Amino acid sequence: MQNLITSNLGLLISNSQLRFSIVQQDHLTVKSELSLLNHVQEWFEQFCLQHLSQLGWSKTQLDRLNLALAEGFTNAVRHAHHALPPETTIEINIYLWIDRLEIRIWDYGKPFDPDAIAEPVPGTLQVGGYGWFLLRRLADRVVYERGADGRNCLLIVKYSVEAQK
């Protein structure tokens, strides 16, 4: 009995450690130009085809993540970098963990408070705020923070179907 408990405990530790290991990662740096959105999305799709589909991620999950990435990138270009030269870069990191995918979009704009954005009221028209609303619906977790280096980071997290069970 003791061996079975020790064996199961070892399995739990191994599974726990796996959850904290990055399986794959990639990085892309692009200029602040909306015309580069297709390039960003193609890069992301290639990463997904190469890595996520093997882990059982559905096309629906990947499409939702691609839309979230597009929203985050266009927000950085249109809002964070609107007063900055187009040469100002946006960095995008993808981290694939065993149980989730994280997208980090880094920009050099002025920080903003996402909590100050009013959630759209169904049936009414509102100027702005739909992008943030959409991001929160597409992802399982969305965090916006100002880094110590003066950059902003939009973190978009989606958990695998297996992790949600």
Side-chain angles (χ1 to χ4, degrees):
M1 183 70 165
Q2 181 65 31
N3 286 342
L4 181 59
I5 293 172
T6 305
S7 175
N8 285 339
L9 183 58
L11 181 61
L12 287 174
I13 291 170
S14 296
N15 285 342
S16 171
Q17 290 169 339
L18 281 176
R19 293 182 66 150
F20 299 111
S21 298
I22 295 174
V23 176
Q24 286 293 333
Q25 63 182 331
D26 204 351
H27 175 87
L28 179 68
T29 301
V30 294
K31 295 178 183 177
S32 297
E33 297 178 11
L34 286 178
S35 63
L36 294 173
L37 176 59
N38 285 338
H39 174 69
V40 169
Q41 289 187 289
E42 288 170 4
W43 166 77
F44 180 74
E45 287 172 8
Q46 188 61 38
F47 179 90
C48 291
L49 288 173
Q50 191 172 2
H51 304 294
L52 273 78
S53 55
Q54 299 170 17
L55 295 175
W57 287 69
S58 71
K59 179 159 177 24
T60 301
Q61 285 177 300
L62 302 180
D63 289 345
R64 291 172 66 94
L65 281 167
N66 201 337
L67 183 56
L69 171 62
E71 185 60 37
F73 175 76
T74 58
N75 281 348
V77 172
R78 287 184 177 146
H79 302 294
H81 287 189
H82 76 278
L84 298 174
E87 296 79 33
T88 307
T89 58
I90 295 173
E91 295 180 41
I92 306 168
N93 298 319
I94 302 174
Y95 300 100
L96 175 60
W97 303 76
I98 198 73
D99 65 334
R100 68 190 179 277
L101 181 88
E102 295 180 0
I103 301 170
R104 295 177 188 264
I105 303 171
W106 296 88
D107 71 64
Y108 290 91
K110 293 181 181 176
F112 84 103
D113 180 8
D115 294 331
I117 298 173
E119 182 137 334
V121 178
T124 63
L125 292 177
Q126 171 182 314
V127 176
Y130 289 99
W132 191 249
F133 173 79
L134 179 63
L135 271 172
R136 291 183 301 189
R137 296 305 178 268
L138 293 170
D140 295 321
R141 184 170 171 236
V142 179
V143 178
Y144 175 85
E145 295 180 327
R146 180 77 165 181
D149 62 357
R151 295 186 302 164
N152 303 307
C153 180
L154 174 65
L155 169 64
I156 302 167
V157 180
K158 185 73 178 165
Y159 291 94
S160 69
V161 173
E162 291 300 315
Q164 294 176 358
K165 290 181 181 178

